[in-house]
């Protein structure tokens, strides 16, 4: 078996919007606006399209002007989450990009909805083999929750936000294909919780990871108190959460929180190389491996865990890919997997 070829250079430099290599933009786009979020709906609500005439002079236009300004502010907002597909020879690799530079990818309601929409599209893509989660914002993976938005929310709204974010990250964690977080700079609070929901975490040496929620008199509410101890152990997780301490990339690797620490700016390429290696393997085998590991880790005893492994193995015995793998080995050639 020949080792997999090194993945092509990244489609664009980390932390920039330059595109030295042409991308194949996927058809995944921002969720369609509801009638009241559409230009016509918002303008109609303001009275500017009602009857196709201007407001009566006897009525103050201050409110209309304010809503009209807000309308165009909404329409001018750039997408904070982009989902793209890599072209050949890296087919099967999807990339989820966080792009909210003005707040270092802080996650507000709109960004969370876009994350959920992207996850649904990944679930529906039968060609997807690996997902990379990366940031286009220099020096930040994600700063966590948008605290400016949170200050304006009621206690019940904050609770609803936390439940929705927890559900969103759980849906991402449940994807049947491998997911890789590319962390350059800060991954804090909800940003780290998103990374914890990934299967692998690749850090640049400038990465800074932490769950500072106790400093705000709350706790991590999007899976941090559950996923972190499962990854690094209870004692270390308690220390990081109780103190809110941030750790660097090298320490993260030492404690098992990250898989690799590479020079700053090279985390994306390392993640892409790993993703390329994964795409060369049998896709059904990869899915069953993830299922066996994740589900086996959640049961209490080894016999139950081994039973899960056995069930996953049985599902692969009669696949075309398994037959192809044996034939390719005998013929001393690279296997061509179809996912069947």
């Amino acid at each position: 078996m020949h080792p997999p070829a090194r993945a092509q250079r990244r489609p664009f430099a980390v932390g920039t919007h330059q595109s030295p290599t042409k991308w194949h933009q996927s058809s995944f786009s921002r969720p369609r606006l509801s009638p009241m979020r559409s230009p016509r709906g918002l303008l109609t609500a303001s009275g500017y399209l009602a009857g196709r005439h201007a407001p009566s002079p006897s009525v103050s236009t201050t409110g209309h002007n304010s809503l009209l300004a807000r309308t165009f502010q909404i329409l001018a907002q750039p997408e904070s989450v982009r989902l793209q597909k890599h072209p050949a020879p890296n087919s099967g690799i999807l990339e989820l990009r966080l792009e909210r530079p003005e707040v270092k990818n802080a996650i507000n309601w709109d960004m969370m909805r876009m994350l959920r929409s992207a996850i649904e599209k990944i679930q529906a893509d039968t060609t997807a083999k690996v997902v990379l989660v990366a940031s286009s914002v220099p020096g930040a993976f994600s700063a966590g929750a948008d605290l400016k938005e949170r200050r304006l929310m009621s206690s019940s709204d904050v609770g609803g936000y936390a439940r929705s974010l927890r559900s969103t990250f759980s849906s991402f964690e449940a994807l049947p294909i491998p997911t890789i977080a590319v962390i350059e700079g800060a991954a804090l609070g909800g940003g780290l919780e998103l990374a914890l929901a990934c299967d692998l975490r690749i850090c640049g040496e400038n990465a800074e990871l932490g769950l500072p929620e106790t400093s705000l008199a709350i706790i991590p509410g999007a899976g941090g108190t559950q996923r972190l101890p499962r990854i690094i152990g209870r004692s270390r997780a308690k220390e990081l959460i109780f103190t809110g301490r941030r750790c660097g990339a090298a320490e993260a690797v030492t404690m098992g929180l990250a898989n690799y620490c590479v020079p700053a700016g090279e985390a994306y390429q390392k993640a892409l190389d790993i993703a390329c290696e994964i795409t060369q393997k049998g896709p059904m085998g990869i899915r069953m491996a993830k299922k066996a590991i994740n589900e086996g880790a959640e049961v209490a005893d080894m016999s139950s865990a081994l039973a899960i492994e056995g069930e996953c193995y049985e599902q692969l015995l009669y696949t075309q890919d398994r037959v192809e793998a044996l034939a390719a080995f005998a013929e001393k050639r690279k296997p061509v997997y179809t996912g069947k």
Side-chain angles (χ1 to χ4, degrees):
M1 296 288 289
H2 295 289
R6 181 177 174 86
Q8 288 190 343
R9 294 296 296 176
R10 55 184 177 269
F12 46 80
V14 173
T16 74
H17 293 283
Q18 299 174 352
S19 302
T21 302
K22 185 177 181 181
W23 262 80
H24 283 196
Q25 178 78 33
S26 77
S27 60
F28 303 154
S29 59
R30 186 171 187 163
R32 188 173 181 176
L33 295 174
S34 67
M36 287 306 294
R37 282 294 297 272
S38 68
R40 188 175 187 84
L42 287 166
L43 291 172
T44 299
S46 71
Y48 275 79
L49 292 184
R52 294 183 179 274
H53 59 72
S56 169
S58 62
V59 179
S60 171
T61 61
T62 302
H64 291 291
N65 291 337
S66 177
L67 182 54
L68 183 62
R70 175 60 179 159
T71 297
F72 288 110
Q73 181 182 22
I74 292 173
L75 298 176
Q77 288 176 350
E79 295 186 4
S80 56
V81 176
R82 283 192 300 122
L83 184 61
Q84 296 177 304
K85 303 178 75 168
H86 280 236
N90 297 335
S91 300
I93 299 176
L94 301 187
E95 187 167 317
L96 193 156
R97 283 244 161 202
L98 309 179
E99 298 188 342
R100 225 183 147 218
E102 68 278 9
V103 288
K104 297 184 178 180
N105 290 333
I107 304 171
N108 63 358
W109 272 105
D110 281 343
M111 189 174 191
M112 177 169 55
R113 292 187 186 105
M114 294 188 72
L115 281 169
R116 183 172 289 278
S117 178
I119 293 167
E120 291 171 354
K121 291 177 172 68
I122 295 170
Q123 291 169 334
D125 189 344
T126 58
T127 67
K129 296 179 179 179
V130 187
V131 180
L132 301 182
V133 183
S135 167
S136 295
V137 180
F141 177 76
S142 172
D146 188 335
L147 297 183
K148 289 184 178 179
E149 178 186 72
R150 181 165 292 187
R151 287 183 60 206
L152 304 176
M153 296 164 63
S154 67
S155 296
S156 60
D157 286 340
V158 173
Y161 170 89
R163 287 190 295 273
S164 295
L165 193 62
R166 190 181 308 126
S167 173
T168 298
F169 290 172
S170 292
S171 296
F172 187 76
E173 181 182 43
L175 288 172
I177 58 177
T179 54
I180 306 175
V182 182
I183 305 174
E184 296 274 6
L188 304 174
L192 179 55
E193 288 176 302
L194 172 57
L196 293 174
C198 293
D199 297 305
L200 308 176
R201 285 158 292 279
I202 313 300
C203 294
E205 61 186 1
N206 63 334
E208 190 176 38
L209 298 81
L211 294 173
E213 284 84 354
T214 53
S215 300
L216 299 172
I218 55 174
I219 65 171
T225 65
Q226 302 306 307
R227 293 191 179 97
L228 186 62
R230 283 167 167 79
I231 292 171
I232 66 172
R234 289 187 187 182
S235 181
R236 281 177 169 165
K238 287 177 179 178
E239 186 247 322
L240 290 181
I241 292 173
F242 292 169
T243 65
R245 183 173 70 82
R246 303 178 184 186
C247 69
E251 183 183 1
V253 171
T254 300
M255 69 174 67
L257 179 54
N259 296 84
Y260 291 94
C261 170
V262 298
E266 296 184 14
Y268 181 92
Q269 185 60 53
K270 180 63 177 178
L272 184 59
D273 289 344
I274 294 173
C276 185
E277 287 188 54
I278 293 171
T279 61
Q280 304 305 307
K281 306 301 185 288
M284 295 185 70
I286 293 294
R287 287 173 177 246
M288 286 299 103
K290 177 170 179 175
K291 178 181 174 70
I293 294 169
N294 285 358
E295 294 186 8
E298 295 301 318
V299 298
D301 59 283
M302 180 61 73
S303 61
S304 297
L306 292 174
I308 292 172
E309 179 184 78
E311 291 171 5
C312 292
Y313 192 93
E314 289 285 335
Q315 293 185 49
L316 300 169
L317 288 177
Y318 304 100
T319 63
Q320 295 177 20
D321 280 353
R322 192 183 78 87
V323 175
E324 165 63 12
L326 294 175
F329 177 78
E331 298 166 13
K332 295 183 168 67
R333 61 173 174 82
K334 184 178 180 180
V336 179
Y337 295 124
T338 61
K340 297 179 182 179

